[in-house]
Amino acid sequence: MNFVSTRGRTPTTSIDDALAAGLAHDGGLYVPETLAALPAFAPQPTLAATAQRLLAPCFEGSRLRDALDALCDEAYAFDAPLRPLAGPGDHVLELFHGPTAAFKDYAARFLAAALSALRDDEGDTDIVVATSGDTGAAVAAAFHGRPGFRVTILYPQGRVSPRQAHGLECWGGNVRAFRVAGSFDDCQRMAKAVLADADLRARRRLTSANSISLGRLLPQMAYYAHAGAQHLAAHGTVPGFVVPTGNLGNACAAVLAQRMGAPVGPIVLACNANDALPRYFGGADYAAQPTRATLANAMDVGAPSNFERLRHLFGGDDAALRAAIVAVSVDDATIRETIRAAQARHGIVPCPHTATALHVLETLRERGDARPWAVVATAHPAKFETIVEPLVGAAVPPPPALADCLARPAHGEALPADAQALREALLDD
Ligand SMILES: *Cc1c(COP(=O)(O)O)cnc(C)c1O
């Protein structure tokens, strides 16, 4: 399979070159040139086996092709269970059983295993990540202790939950975490500035683990395909998915899995008060909005970077895209109410992100929708204990991997919101 830019002004590219480049040279995002459905999408016994089957055509001709099965075994070493909820046809797809208790573990671990397999002996690579919480922790966990890599995390001080902050600072070794005196946008600006700094690039090998990379997008197809196949085998029907959405990476992966012939039904985007997508899907022209801080902080995105990719997957046809996908905005008061009532109504305690999707499911059922649906649980509620615990009136104990990380000392360093300060930190060993 070859890849092209959404902007169509770069040559057709192999997966290896697309992974190395991150963003296409014309500023666009890489998408598969053609997407043929796999001849027969047979259910596989494990998530790793499903990933191997789906990713094999993407990595045809890649230097990673022979290593792909081992990469998948490593990246998908923990399950993504599809569990029934209290209501008929209602399910939850739990993506929080990895080391940092959020779905970003799958793709970060795949990317780390892939970059390790491609590593040469020409010195260390610095991975610079700006994070609003979950990405940085997943990337840190995935690269921690890997020879040949150093990770530098930038996160906005005071804008992530206390447990999220600890999850960013608990690594040490080849991982450095900086709490930046600024916003997430400041962190992103600093990361972009150092990645574009020619003088620094001459002295250090720098790369990002940005969510627009194909290395983050493609691995996320696997859990949709696996859950869909399980549902089909058990009930004879293909489930739809309600996806908590920020930058649209996770939902784009669901669309790609569907195009490859996996049993993935309708896709609904659950957004927080950042409503650029709900406005567009409601019929307005697409327009980026200023970012608003909400309880579902990992979805606080005013300009979803994968929108360009999603539109391209529909041939730029807005009517076709709007006919295929629905997006709903859920405000903070509704997120609170959904968390408070979830145990009694559905039998689970959701994180604030998952709560947006749970609310959308409730709305579908109120309107008489009888199709099978899976709510995608993107993080464990214990990661957001300061929000969730007062609402449910009980302690939410962290899962074992997160508890291990919380038990280790934190090693964060303060950094001004200034690219020059970051440059100096990167040069200072
Ligand atoms: C990153 C994240 C999201 C949003 O995912 P996108 O791929 O950016 O749409 C949702 N929930 C949680 C917990 C996240 O960490």
Side-chain angles (χ1 to χ4, degrees), residues 241-278:
F241 291 88
V242 189
V243 187
T245 293
N247 252 329
L248 255 176
N250 204 7
C252 261
V255 173
L256 285 174
Q258 195 181 48
R259 294 284 175 88
M260 290 188 74
V264 172
I267 294 161
V268 175
L269 312 178
C271 301
N272 59 23
N274 291 279
D275 61 355
L277 294 170

Short mmCIF file of all heavy atoms in Angstrom, two decimals, residues 241-278:
data_model
loop_
_atom_site.label_atom_id
_atom_site.label_comp_id
_atom_site.label_asym_id
_atom_site.label_seq_id
_atom_site.Cartn_x
_atom_site.Cartn_y
_atom_site.Cartn_z
N PHE A 241 -20.11 2.57 16.80
CA PHE A 241 -19.22 3.02 17.86
C PHE A 241 -19.45 4.51 18.14
O PHE A 241 -19.54 5.31 17.20
CB PHE A 241 -17.75 2.81 17.46
CG PHE A 241 -17.37 1.34 17.40
CD1 PHE A 241 -17.54 0.61 16.24
CD2 PHE A 241 -16.87 0.71 18.52
CE1 PHE A 241 -17.20 -0.74 16.19
CE2 PHE A 241 -16.53 -0.64 18.49
CZ PHE A 241 -16.70 -1.37 17.32
N VAL A 242 -19.56 4.86 19.42
CA VAL A 242 -19.62 6.27 19.81
C VAL A 242 -18.25 6.63 20.36
O VAL A 242 -17.81 6.07 21.37
CB VAL A 242 -20.71 6.53 20.87
CG1 VAL A 242 -20.88 8.04 21.07
CG2 VAL A 242 -22.04 5.90 20.47
N VAL A 243 -17.54 7.53 19.68
CA VAL A 243 -16.12 7.78 19.95
C VAL A 243 -15.92 9.16 20.58
O VAL A 243 -16.21 10.18 19.93
CB VAL A 243 -15.31 7.71 18.63
CG1 VAL A 243 -13.81 7.79 18.94
CG2 VAL A 243 -15.64 6.45 17.85
N PRO A 244 -15.42 9.23 21.83
CA PRO A 244 -15.06 10.53 22.40
C PRO A 244 -13.96 11.15 21.54
O PRO A 244 -12.93 10.51 21.29
CB PRO A 244 -14.51 10.17 23.80
CG PRO A 244 -15.06 8.80 24.09
CD PRO A 244 -15.15 8.12 22.75
N THR A 245 -14.17 12.37 21.07
CA THR A 245 -13.32 12.91 20.01
C THR A 245 -12.73 14.27 20.34
O THR A 245 -13.42 15.16 20.84
CB THR A 245 -14.17 13.01 18.71
OG1 THR A 245 -14.50 11.69 18.28
CG2 THR A 245 -13.41 13.70 17.59
N GLY A 246 -11.43 14.40 20.06
CA GLY A 246 -10.74 15.68 20.20
C GLY A 246 -10.09 16.03 18.88
O GLY A 246 -10.63 16.76 18.06
N ASN A 247 -8.90 15.44 18.63
CA ASN A 247 -8.19 15.67 17.38
C ASN A 247 -8.65 14.75 16.26
O ASN A 247 -8.10 14.78 15.17
CB ASN A 247 -6.69 15.45 17.61
CG ASN A 247 -5.94 16.77 17.59
OD1 ASN A 247 -6.35 17.69 16.89
ND2 ASN A 247 -4.87 16.85 18.34
N LEU A 248 -9.60 13.88 16.51
CA LEU A 248 -10.20 13.01 15.50
C LEU A 248 -9.31 11.85 15.07
O LEU A 248 -9.61 11.18 14.08
CB LEU A 248 -10.54 13.82 14.23
CG LEU A 248 -11.98 14.18 13.96
CD1 LEU A 248 -12.06 15.07 12.71
CD2 LEU A 248 -12.84 12.95 13.71
N GLY A 249 -8.22 11.58 15.79
CA GLY A 249 -7.34 10.48 15.40
C GLY A 249 -8.00 9.13 15.61
O GLY A 249 -8.00 8.26 14.73
N ASN A 250 -8.59 8.95 16.78
CA ASN A 250 -9.22 7.68 17.12
C ASN A 250 -10.39 7.38 16.19
O ASN A 250 -10.55 6.27 15.69
CB ASN A 250 -9.66 7.74 18.59
CG ASN A 250 -9.78 6.38 19.24
OD1 ASN A 250 -9.42 5.37 18.64
ND2 ASN A 250 -10.30 6.35 20.45
N ALA A 251 -11.21 8.39 15.92
CA ALA A 251 -12.38 8.19 15.05
C ALA A 251 -11.95 7.96 13.60
O ALA A 251 -12.56 7.15 12.89
CB ALA A 251 -13.32 9.40 15.14
N CYS A 252 -10.89 8.63 13.13
CA CYS A 252 -10.39 8.38 11.77
C CYS A 252 -9.96 6.93 11.63
O CYS A 252 -10.16 6.32 10.57
CB CYS A 252 -9.19 9.26 11.47
SG CYS A 252 -9.57 10.72 10.54
N ALA A 253 -9.34 6.38 12.68
CA ALA A 253 -8.91 4.99 12.63
C ALA A 253 -10.12 4.07 12.50
O ALA A 253 -10.07 3.06 11.79
CB ALA A 253 -8.10 4.64 13.87
N ALA A 254 -11.23 4.42 13.14
CA ALA A 254 -12.45 3.62 13.02
C ALA A 254 -12.96 3.64 11.58
O ALA A 254 -13.37 2.62 11.03
CB ALA A 254 -13.53 4.15 13.97
N VAL A 255 -12.91 4.82 10.93
CA VAL A 255 -13.33 4.92 9.53
C VAL A 255 -12.42 4.08 8.64
O VAL A 255 -12.89 3.36 7.75
CB VAL A 255 -13.33 6.40 9.07
CG1 VAL A 255 -13.61 6.50 7.57
CG2 VAL A 255 -14.36 7.20 9.86
N LEU A 256 -11.11 4.13 8.89
CA LEU A 256 -10.17 3.33 8.08
C LEU A 256 -10.45 1.84 8.24
O LEU A 256 -10.44 1.09 7.26
CB LEU A 256 -8.73 3.63 8.47
CG LEU A 256 -8.17 4.97 7.99
CD1 LEU A 256 -6.78 5.20 8.58
CD2 LEU A 256 -8.09 5.00 6.46
N ALA A 257 -10.69 1.40 9.48
CA ALA A 257 -10.97 -0.02 9.72
C ALA A 257 -12.23 -0.45 8.95
O ALA A 257 -12.27 -1.51 8.33
CB ALA A 257 -11.13 -0.28 11.21
N GLN A 258 -13.23 0.42 8.97
CA GLN A 258 -14.48 0.17 8.24
C GLN A 258 -14.20 0.01 6.74
O GLN A 258 -14.67 -0.92 6.11
CB GLN A 258 -15.38 1.37 8.49
CG GLN A 258 -16.82 1.23 8.15
CD GLN A 258 -17.53 2.56 8.43
OE1 GLN A 258 -17.07 3.63 8.03
NE2 GLN A 258 -18.64 2.50 9.16
N ARG A 259 -13.38 0.91 6.20
CA ARG A 259 -13.05 0.86 4.77
C ARG A 259 -12.27 -0.40 4.41
O ARG A 259 -12.30 -0.85 3.28
CB ARG A 259 -12.20 2.06 4.37
CG ARG A 259 -12.90 3.36 4.48
CD ARG A 259 -13.88 3.55 3.33
NE ARG A 259 -14.64 4.76 3.52
CZ ARG A 259 -14.24 5.95 3.09
NH1 ARG A 259 -13.12 6.07 2.41
NH2 ARG A 259 -14.97 7.02 3.32
N MET A 260 -11.52 -0.93 5.36
CA MET A 260 -10.75 -2.14 5.09
C MET A 260 -11.61 -3.39 5.24
O MET A 260 -11.11 -4.50 5.16
CB MET A 260 -9.52 -2.21 5.98
CG MET A 260 -8.48 -1.16 5.58
SD MET A 260 -6.92 -1.34 6.45
CE MET A 260 -6.24 -2.77 5.61
N GLY A 261 -12.88 -3.20 5.47
CA GLY A 261 -13.79 -4.33 5.48
C GLY A 261 -14.05 -4.91 6.86
O GLY A 261 -14.70 -5.95 6.98
N ALA A 262 -13.56 -4.26 7.90
CA ALA A 262 -13.81 -4.76 9.26
C ALA A 262 -15.27 -4.49 9.63
O ALA A 262 -15.87 -3.53 9.14
CB ALA A 262 -12.88 -4.07 10.25
N PRO A 263 -15.86 -5.34 10.50
CA PRO A 263 -17.26 -5.16 10.88
C PRO A 263 -17.44 -3.98 11.84
O PRO A 263 -17.62 -4.15 13.04
CB PRO A 263 -17.63 -6.50 11.55
CG PRO A 263 -16.33 -7.12 11.92
CD PRO A 263 -15.26 -6.55 11.09
N VAL A 264 -17.35 -2.79 11.30
CA VAL A 264 -17.51 -1.55 12.05
C VAL A 264 -18.73 -0.85 11.48
O VAL A 264 -18.74 -0.51 10.30
CB VAL A 264 -16.25 -0.67 11.94
CG1 VAL A 264 -16.47 0.70 12.56
CG2 VAL A 264 -15.04 -1.36 12.56
N GLY A 265 -19.76 -0.66 12.29
CA GLY A 265 -21.00 -0.04 11.85
C GLY A 265 -20.91 1.47 11.88
O GLY A 265 -19.83 2.05 11.74
N PRO A 266 -22.04 2.16 12.10
CA PRO A 266 -22.03 3.62 12.09
C PRO A 266 -21.12 4.21 13.17
O PRO A 266 -20.93 3.61 14.22
CB PRO A 266 -23.49 4.00 12.35
CG PRO A 266 -24.18 2.75 12.80
CD PRO A 266 -23.36 1.60 12.33
N ILE A 267 -20.55 5.38 12.86
CA ILE A 267 -19.62 6.03 13.79
C ILE A 267 -20.22 7.37 14.20
O ILE A 267 -20.62 8.17 13.34
CB ILE A 267 -18.25 6.22 13.11
CG1 ILE A 267 -17.62 4.84 12.83
CG2 ILE A 267 -17.32 7.07 13.97
CD1 ILE A 267 -16.53 4.85 11.80
N VAL A 268 -20.30 7.59 15.51
CA VAL A 268 -20.81 8.86 16.03
C VAL A 268 -19.70 9.51 16.86
O VAL A 268 -19.05 8.84 17.66
CB VAL A 268 -22.06 8.63 16.91
CG1 VAL A 268 -22.51 9.94 17.55
CG2 VAL A 268 -23.20 8.06 16.07
N LEU A 269 -19.48 10.80 16.65
CA LEU A 269 -18.44 11.53 17.38
C LEU A 269 -19.07 12.23 18.58
O LEU A 269 -20.00 13.01 18.42
CB LEU A 269 -17.79 12.58 16.48
CG LEU A 269 -17.36 12.13 15.08
CD1 LEU A 269 -16.77 13.31 14.31
CD2 LEU A 269 -16.35 10.99 15.18
N ALA A 270 -18.55 11.92 19.77
CA ALA A 270 -18.98 12.63 20.97
C ALA A 270 -17.90 13.67 21.29
O ALA A 270 -16.75 13.31 21.54
CB ALA A 270 -19.15 11.65 22.13
N CYS A 271 -18.27 14.94 21.25
CA CYS A 271 -17.32 16.02 21.51
C CYS A 271 -17.71 16.70 22.82
O CYS A 271 -18.84 16.56 23.29
CB CYS A 271 -17.35 17.05 20.40
SG CYS A 271 -16.96 16.35 18.77
N ASN A 272 -16.78 17.46 23.41
CA ASN A 272 -17.13 18.27 24.58
C ASN A 272 -17.61 19.64 24.07
O ASN A 272 -18.11 19.74 22.94
CB ASN A 272 -15.97 18.31 25.57
CG ASN A 272 -14.70 18.88 24.95
OD1 ASN A 272 -14.75 19.61 23.96
ND2 ASN A 272 -13.56 18.53 25.53
N ALA A 273 -17.44 20.68 24.88
CA ALA A 273 -17.95 21.99 24.46
C ALA A 273 -17.16 22.57 23.28
O ALA A 273 -17.57 23.57 22.68
CB ALA A 273 -17.93 22.96 25.64
N ASN A 274 -16.05 21.97 22.93
CA ASN A 274 -15.31 22.39 21.73
C ASN A 274 -16.05 21.81 20.53
O ASN A 274 -15.99 20.61 20.27
CB ASN A 274 -13.87 21.90 21.82
CG ASN A 274 -13.11 22.64 22.89
OD1 ASN A 274 -12.64 23.75 22.68
ND2 ASN A 274 -13.03 22.03 24.08
N ASP A 275 -16.77 22.69 19.82
CA ASP A 275 -17.80 22.18 18.91
C ASP A 275 -17.54 22.46 17.44
O ASP A 275 -18.49 22.54 16.65
CB ASP A 275 -19.17 22.73 19.34
CG ASP A 275 -19.22 24.25 19.29
OD1 ASP A 275 -18.17 24.87 19.01
OD2 ASP A 275 -20.29 24.81 19.51
N ALA A 276 -16.27 22.55 17.04
CA ALA A 276 -15.99 22.77 15.60
C ALA A 276 -16.61 21.66 14.76
O ALA A 276 -17.19 21.91 13.70
CB ALA A 276 -14.47 22.85 15.36
N LEU A 277 -16.52 20.41 15.24
CA LEU A 277 -17.05 19.28 14.45
C LEU A 277 -18.58 19.24 14.48
O LEU A 277 -19.21 19.12 13.43
CB LEU A 277 -16.44 17.96 14.93
CG LEU A 277 -14.93 17.84 14.69
CD1 LEU A 277 -14.37 16.63 15.41
CD2 LEU A 277 -14.63 17.77 13.20
N PRO A 278 -19.22 19.33 15.67
CA PRO A 278 -20.69 19.37 15.66
C PRO A 278 -21.24 20.49 14.78
O PRO A 278 -22.25 20.31 14.08
CB PRO A 278 -21.04 19.58 17.14
CG PRO A 278 -19.91 18.91 17.87
CD PRO A 278 -18.69 19.20 17.04
#
